[in-house]
Amino acid sequence: MNELYTEGEPIRDTKAPEGPIEDRWEKRKFSAKLVNPANKRKLHVIVVGTGLAGGSAAATLGELGYNVTSFCYQDSPRRAHSIAAQGGINAAKNYRGDGDSIYRLFYDTVKGGDFRARESNVYRLAQVSVNIIDQAVAQGVPFAREYGGLLDTRSFGGAQVSRTFYARGQTGQQLLLGAYQALERQIAAGTVKMHTRHEMLELIVSDGRARGVIVRDMVTGEIERHVADAVVLATGGYGNVFFLSTNAKGCNTTAIWRAHRRGAMFANPCYTQIHPTCIPVSGEYQSKLTLMSESLRNDGRVWVPAKAGDTRPAAEIPEDERDYYLERIYPAFGNLVPRDIASRAAKNVCDEGRGVGPGGLGVYLDFADAISRLGRDAVEKKYGNLFEMYERITGEDPYTQPMRIYPAVHYTMGGLWVDYDLQSTIPGLFVIGEANFSDHGANRLGASALMQGLADGYFVLPTTIGDYLANGPYGEVDEEAVAEAEIAVRNKIEKLLSVNGTRTADSYHRELGKIMWDYCGMERTEESLRKALERIPELREEFWQNVKVSGQAEELNQALERAGRVADFFDLAELMCIDALHRTESCGGHFRAESQDADGEALRDDENFAYVAAWEYGEQGPILHKEALDYEYVKMSQRSYK
């Protein structure tokens, strides 16, 4: 396998303080250098992305007095993909008095991530979670409330307590509107300058520091240079490498991949999350998939026919001929097991020939018991907009017949490597939210993405970036570095336009996605990964010889945008497969068929793989740097949800 990569020196996070874990964040906040208000006005920060992480970061940095320039490729910051998050946001408030605590949220997150996350980062996330809810409520985010007026919570996968705050099935939208109004306030105040419809295509690195970005105005096609004292990437995950995913069509890897090529290490790219409750694929014409919130598993029961080949309608299958397989296999957690476990269980029953719907690729999510127990009105109040969305897409009424669901690509736990301060291996480049790797290990628990995005943006980054900026301003940016980055962008655009082949970028993307799903999807083997590593370079070579990009560079050109993103997906897909091949253990969302226990559960190899795989870009192939994971507070053990 070493023909695919070389191994470099180990890497270490030097910013996390020593001492009791509950004191580390306070110690870091106190030791971080401060910037006085007059000096903040002299400092400039670029933030790329306006989702929950980027929007909250830009708003908070502007409020602190920094000069901020913010970029998004959407026509408005509030159209960032965070708006699609449905089910809720975790916080260790323990309003229910059901045994929750900061430590329990920390423990559940480390265990849910299959013991492949840093303890210090996860504990800080659990600590900060309680502040996020107060911040959002103060902004007017309309969280659901109980009859007496107190904030309501519900349960999500991988937890036995109710710690998930929600706003019906549109929590991401409401939280994003809160961050958006904070951002707009700073735009009006003049501390944040907003550039919509701009896509980052290159990172400017001068004297070893991140000093700016090259962006393309997506309306005019103009290439622009922007320099600053620090750059923050909040550009989300790379799930669209699979083509079909629950991500918005625009979601891409270009920003973090460009940074990776400039020297930022990429950590754990093979850790991808398959969400168990999505509307099944319905045909070759589809370009994306639709998520059905995990919150539905609070009241919905997952089942399939007990016998293979049973094609009767759900209503005709009596109770004793149904298999509520999650409740049967995992009685302690039932339908609320973590996502990786629920997804593999669904795949297994479908592989046994017990799947439902077209092609047998689906399982039932049934609300008959909940409607009988609570009444239709109560169920509608909780999940009404989700039920309506399902009916519009499928033409089936989930109040009278079970939903059909099947796993689909949803989230990526991998991302750019960052230290405790959220700084990458390029000084001055900070990475927040889903774009970094830091908090979720090999599997993210439901309702923790919103928690991480807002923790990073509102509370962590504004403190830690100050420690870096206290040594600034960093002087003039080397003109040669800026020119070199701009030339690289122009050359790539020119190359894409000059091929003038016969196939669209989308057709290549779809084919790449199928390779990734078939060979590096829910289940991976050495054979399948090696097959993918044969096919990806072949398809990439064909792409560069035969892609058709119509139109010109100096105009609105969506074909050009897509082609550039697909080109980066090819390179990322190759690294994902190399990472998955080198990690011969199973852990969380990374399931190697060769590494499973007698019950078919993921079998970790802590002796050989208890590390973060941080990949450095190299012209002759990737270079692996290992960051050892040491557990002082949580004992590494085989996960059990039974």
Side-chain angles (χ1 to χ4, degrees):
M1 197 192 310
N2 285 341
E3 76 274 9
L4 297 171
Y5 69 90
T6 55
E7 191 167 331
E9 292 295 312
I11 189 170
R12 199 163 62 87
D13 173 17
T14 58
K15 300 288 179 57
E18 300 291 326
I21 197 166
E22 60 271 16
D23 298 336
R24 289 177 189 173
W25 178 227
E26 287 301 320
K27 282 178 73 173
R28 183 66 191 114
K29 284 195 287 185
F30 184 74
S31 66
K33 295 174 188 168
L34 299 177
V35 183
N36 79 47
N39 287 341
K40 282 175 182 166
R41 292 193 291 273
K42 301 173 189 173
L43 293 164
H44 186 188
V45 181
I46 285 172
V47 181
V48 185
T50 58
L52 286 179
S56 60
T60 307
L61 293 171
E63 182 85 42
L64 287 171
Y66 295 107
N67 294 299
V68 181
T69 305
S70 179
F71 297 92
C72 69
Y73 62 73
Q74 296 89 350
D75 55 3
S76 163
R78 69 178 180 273
R79 289 180 68 88
H81 189 56
S82 299
I83 206 165
Q86 297 170 355
I89 177 170
N90 288 330
K93 285 286 199 183
N94 195 28
Y95 285 165
R96 289 282 183 102
D98 56 1
D100 201 11
S101 63
I102 287 170
Y103 192 89
R104 188 175 293 279
L105 175 52
F106 156 67
Y107 175 82
D108 286 348
T109 305
V110 170
K111 178 184 173 184
D114 216 353
F115 305 94
R116 290 293 176 262
R118 289 185 192 138
E119 283 190 328
S120 294
N121 290 58
V122 176
Y123 196 90
R124 175 177 64 188
L125 178 65
Q127 284 177 302
V128 170
S129 72
V130 298
N131 305 123
I132 297 169
I133 303 303
D134 298 339
Q135 169 93 357
V137 169
Q139 289 174 335
V141 172
F143 285 124
R145 293 180 182 267
E146 295 175 325
Y147 178 76
L150 297 175
L151 294 179
D152 195 16
T153 53
R154 56 190 177 197
S155 299
F156 257 61
Q160 291 176 306
V161 295
S162 291
R163 64 162 67 104
T164 306
F165 295 79
Y166 65 98
R168 288 186 82 195
Q170 34 180 262
T171 315
Q173 178 178 356
Q174 299 305 326
L175 287 168
L176 185 61
L177 291 174
Y180 168 71
Q181 68 188 21
L183 176 61
E184 286 296 316
R185 179 170 171 268
Q186 295 307 312
I187 292 169
T191 61
V192 178
K193 187 168 185 183
M194 186 72 231
H195 295 271
T196 59
R197 305 299 296 275
H198 282 69
E199 182 169 26
M200 174 186 156
L201 295 179
E202 193 56 88
L203 180 73
I204 297 169
V205 178
S206 173
D207 294 326
R209 298 181 186 275
R211 293 302 307 272
V213 293
I214 305 293
V215 298
R216 179 175 179 270
D217 183 323
M218 294 161 68
V219 177
T220 66
E222 184 182 350
I223 304 299
E224 301 174 6
R225 311 165 160 198
H226 295 267
V227 296
D229 295 290
V231 177
V232 179
L233 297 186
T235 52
Y238 49 90
N240 273 351
V241 69
F242 291 90
F243 187 74
L244 286 177
S245 84
T246 65
N247 290 196
K249 284 297 291 174
C251 294
N252 64 82
T253 191
T254 292
I256 58 173
W257 190 255
R258 298 284 103 203
H260 173 58
R261 288 183 62 108
R262 290 278 167 183
M265 289 189 194
F266 207 120
N268 301 333
C270 77
Y271 289 169
T272 52
Q273 179 161 89
I274 314 292
H275 197 295
T277 52
C278 302
I279 297 177
V281 177
S282 56
E284 284 294 313
Y285 55 84
Q286 244 176 308
S287 61
K288 79 175 297 295
L289 297 173
T290 304
L291 175 74
M292 286 283 101
S293 169
E294 181 168 315
S295 63
L296 294 169
R297 289 197 274 146
N298 270 275
D299 292 305
R301 299 179 70 194
V302 180
W303 65 275
V304 290
K307 291 181 181 173
D310 190 337
T311 58
R312 290 176 292 174
E316 293 179 16
I317 301 176
E319 195 71 16
D320 62 354
E321 294 181 34
R322 300 178 177 188
D323 180 13
Y324 294 90
Y325 58 89
L326 291 177
E327 297 171 28
R328 172 175 56 80
I329 303 170
Y330 308 102
F333 282 73
N335 294 297
L336 286 172
V337 291
R339 292 173 176 177
D340 59 317
I341 289 172
S343 292
R344 281 198 296 276
K347 179 183 185 297
N348 290 341
V349 295
C350 290
D351 288 348
E352 291 167 7
R354 297 194 287 144
V356 301
L361 290 178
V363 299
Y364 287 129
L365 183 60
D366 197 336
F367 290 86
D369 281 4
I371 291 170
S372 170
R373 185 177 78 253
L374 304 169
R376 175 170 168 150
D377 287 350
V379 171
E380 195 167 343
K381 277 180 183 171
K382 278 185 172 182
Y383 310 116
N385 65 311
L386 298 170
F387 278 42
E388 181 185 347
M389 183 166 68
Y390 179 86
E391 185 172 12
R392 286 187 180 185
I393 291 170
T394 65
E396 298 169 5
D397 179 8
Y399 291 105
T400 58
Q401 64 187 98
M403 289 183 177
R404 286 180 298 106
I405 56 168
Y406 193 69
V409 174
H410 177 57
Y411 185 90
T412 51
M413 286 72 66
L416 293 186
W417 185 93
V418 292
D419 60 20
Y420 191 70
D421 284 0
L422 305 182
Q423 186 170 209
S424 74
T425 47
I426 302 176
L429 178 67
F430 292 79
V431 190
I432 60 176
E434 192 179 352
N436 75 29
F437 88 103
S438 71
D439 292 345
H440 306 297
N443 174 63
R444 177 176 68 75
L445 291 184
S448 288
L450 307 188
M451 174 174 65
Q452 186 212 343
L454 292 179
D456 288 356
Y458 280 135
F459 299 106
V460 180
L461 177 83
T463 297
T464 59
I465 200 172
D467 185 65
Y468 175 80
L469 292 171
N471 296 316
Y474 287 101
E476 292 296 312
V477 181
D478 179 29
E479 172 59 29
E480 276 188 33
V482 180
E484 187 268 328
E486 182 180 335
I487 289 166
V489 168
R490 292 187 183 279
N491 287 347
K492 185 173 182 182
I493 289 172
E494 194 177 313
K495 188 177 178 184
L496 286 166
L497 288 166
S498 66
V499 176
N500 199 27
T502 60
R503 279 185 67 180
T504 64
D506 270 1
S507 75
Y508 282 108
H509 192 184
R510 187 184 289 274
E511 190 172 344
L512 172 66
K514 187 164 186 345
I515 291 169
M516 291 300 289
W517 179 252
D518 288 347
Y519 302 136
C520 189
M522 249 191 292
E523 184 174 297
R524 295 124 184 220
T525 65
E526 180 173 353
E527 182 187 2
S528 74
L529 292 165
R530 289 194 179 280
K531 198 172 288 185
L533 286 166
E534 284 176 21
R535 288 290 297 121
I536 291 166
E538 291 170 1
L539 192 62
R540 176 173 55 203
E541 189 176 344
E542 186 194 326
F543 169 87
W544 282 109
Q545 292 175 354
N546 194 35
V547 69
K548 172 72 174 177
V549 182
S550 53
Q552 306 298 318
E554 293 78 25
E555 63 182 5
L556 191 154
N557 189 338
Q558 291 187 313
L560 178 61
E561 293 162 23
R562 291 193 192 110
R565 294 167 189 171
V566 173
D568 290 330
F569 277 136
F570 272 115
D571 294 342
L572 169 66
E574 188 172 35
L575 183 62
M576 288 171 67
C577 291
I578 291 171
D579 188 37
L581 184 61
H582 111 277
R583 190 174 285 274
T584 56
E585 66 164 357
S586 292
C587 57
H590 168 64
F591 188 76
R592 285 289 295 264
E594 304 96 332
S595 183
Q596 53 185 303
D597 64 18
D599 296 328
E601 302 287 357
L603 187 63
R604 292 196 324 272
D605 178 358
D606 294 335
E607 191 177 331
N608 295 305
F609 290 100
Y611 61 78
V612 174
W615 296 91
E616 177 188 350
Y617 180 80
E619 290 295 339
Q620 306 305 315
I623 303 156
L624 171 64
H625 301 267
K626 298 175 181 178
E627 180 200 337
L629 290 169
D630 300 314
Y631 286 93
E632 298 176 64
Y633 292 85
V634 179
K635 184 177 182 291
M636 282 199 278
S637 59
Q638 182 70 8
R639 280 191 312 173
S640 175
Y641 292 93
K642 295 180 178 180

